Amino acid sequence: MSPAESDRTLSTMPTDVWSQPSVDVPDLGGVEQVQRITVPASMRYDYSPGLTQTRFLRALEEKRILGERTPGHEDVYVSHRGVDPVTGLPTTEEVEVGPHATITAFCVVHIGFGVNAPPTPFVSALFLPDGAAVSLYGTVGGISHEDVRIGMRVEPVWVDDADLTTSMENIRYWRPIDEPDVPAEQLKGHM
Amino acid sequence: MGQQARADDELLHAPLVIEYGFNRTTGPVVGAFLTGLREQRVLGIRGADGRVVCPPVEYDPTTGEPLTEMVEVGTEGTITSWSWVPGDREGQPIPAPYALALVRLDGADTAMLHVVDAGSPDAVATGDRVRIRWADERSGSITDIACFEPVGGAS
């Protein structure tokens, strides 16, 4: 954010609310007054995603989207947390899902923030990989934001093989594929 | 969870930094204090009972009434309390070891927290005289005071 943008007036204080009287300051020689400071506050973690997420991320490094389910149950969760969120039973069966997927929800973003935000406007969306019960978050690319639809069929666009890591950032974005839309009716329960 | 870690399940971990760059207005009192530091001068503020509070505060610590009379205090002072910091921690003004000390500047009646570059815990004591070592580049920040150093025996 440019300084000019960060310094713009967002609101004004109602009159008479702030009653602090003016302050007598010793002469400092007519220098410019300090009026604003930036005070960084940070917390540093050594983050571990846990064993199940580790398996998911290691598969991503091989351009595979890995889900898990409880043996004998239908729903495949991705990215999984080790237990079925409905039954509470361990999801000990690995199931590869995707890579093709269906857009189940999307949002056109006009105000981006964060260091990795794409140029605006862009589309953030939920992608239901084929074979999965829940959607993954990502962005849509290769298409105008006006043409994005719920039910649209997409595939992931991966980073170059040399840049693959154990990260969701391996998927740069999702782009449309030439397949008919999935009717919204079929997406019920997966939205 | 009843799951066995397999050979290829070596747990991933990664550094994760959550950072907020708060951009805040200082107000007239703290702004004047920081402006003074940039000019290598230290300002306090006179409290309702006439005592000088440094670093300055907008409202009297006892009565809560607004304070308006800023006064200049000295750049030397007296250690009123201290603790030895033997090991490095992130984001500190100078590399460890150093003393974390409360320093009452001459002309002030309260103390400010800062570091004293004393070299060894044997070289620092309550009542010791110290002076400000200014940062080479000052921007209007408490870190314009690089640290305090013992008077007469700077390391």
Side-chain angles (χ1 to χ4, degrees):
Chain A
M1 191 182 289
S2 68
E5 196 178 346
S6 66
D7 284 349
R8 73 192 192 280
T9 301
L10 295 176
S11 64
T12 52
M13 191 77 85
T15 50
D16 299 331
V17 169
W18 193 43
S19 62
Q20 187 178 11
S22 63
V23 175
D24 294 325
V25 180
D27 181 18
L28 293 172
V31 296
E32 188 188 348
Q33 295 293 305
V34 174
Q35 294 183 315
R36 276 176 181 278
I37 51 172
T38 300
V39 191
S42 71
M43 293 171 280
R44 295 174 180 276
Y45 295 89
D46 181 27
Y47 174 76
S48 173
L51 280 176
T52 55
Q53 293 271 293
T54 291
R55 285 196 290 274
F56 171 76
L57 293 167
R58 288 210 186 284
L60 270 185
E61 195 173 18
E62 301 166 352
K63 297 203 272 194
R64 296 186 302 124
I65 302 171
L66 198 62
E68 287 187 358
R69 70 177 159 207
T70 302
H73 286 66
E74 188 181 344
D75 285 345
V76 176
Y77 291 97
V78 58
S79 65
H80 39 273
R81 296 292 194 277
V83 291
D84 185 314
V86 176
T87 64
L89 295 171
T91 53
T92 52
E93 189 178 323
E94 290 183 349
V95 183
E96 192 170 335
V97 297
H100 290 178
T102 304
I103 293 178
T104 54
F106 71 93
C107 168
V108 181
V109 180
H110 290 280
I111 302 174
F113 59 90
V115 287
N116 294 323
T120 55
F122 67 90
V123 179
S124 68
L126 293 175
F127 305 93
L128 180 66
D130 292 353
V134 295
S135 300
L136 290 171
Y137 171 82
T139 59
V140 182
I143 184 175
S144 164
H145 64 87
E146 293 166 346
D147 297 327
V148 176
R149 307 176 299 277
I150 286 176
M152 179 175 265
R153 297 284 291 154
V154 293
E155 65 181 0
V157 176
W158 301 89
V159 298
D160 293 340
D161 284 1
D163 297 329
L164 287 168
T165 61
T166 49
S167 165
M168 269 305 280
E169 290 175 12
N170 286 349
I171 297 178
R172 293 172 56 210
Y173 56 88
W174 300 71
R175 69 181 168 207
I177 54 175
D178 189 18
E179 283 183 17
D181 283 10
V182 174
E185 199 69 18
Q186 288 182 29
L187 298 172
K188 275 188 176 172
H190 302 297
M191 306 292 269
Chain B
M1 255 179 267
Q3 295 187 33
Q4 295 293 314
R6 301 181 324 209
D8 62 348
D9 271 342
E10 185 193 347
L11 200 57
L12 285 173
H13 62 104
L16 174 69
V17 180
I18 298 174
E19 189 168 67
Y20 311 94
F22 289 108
N23 184 6
R24 56 160 286 189
T25 54
T26 57
V29 173
V30 174
F33 173 68
L34 295 176
T35 303
L37 293 185
R38 198 184 61 209
E39 307 302 319
Q40 295 182 285
R41 296 166 66 177
V42 185
L43 302 182
I45 200 163
R46 196 171 299 285
D49 57 1
R51 299 195 316 153
V52 174
V53 181
C54 181
V57 292
E58 287 96 339
Y59 297 93
D60 188 85
T62 307
T63 68
E65 66 187 271
L67 303 178
T68 60
E69 186 191 347
M70 297 197 72
V71 292
E72 185 163 2
V73 300
T75 56
E76 292 190 7
T78 305
I79 293 176
T80 63
S81 182
W82 61 279
S83 178
W84 191 249
V85 181
D88 258 330
R89 299 190 67 187
E90 222 171 289
Q92 298 305 301
I94 58 172
Y98 53 79
L100 200 53
L102 286 170
V103 176
R104 188 175 63 234
L105 291 171
D106 296 343
D109 295 289
T110 63
M112 74 161 70
L113 183 68
H114 218 293
V115 300
V116 177
D117 187 8
S120 118
D122 300 328
V124 55
T126 297
D128 275 3
R129 296 285 296 165
V130 290
R131 67 167 162 248
I132 290 174
R133 183 191 298 163
W134 296 102
D136 292 335
E137 291 184 14
R138 295 177 306 280
S139 60
S141 158
I142 188 64
T143 54
D144 288 353
I145 299 176
C147 63
F148 283 82
E149 59 191 16
V151 169
S155 55

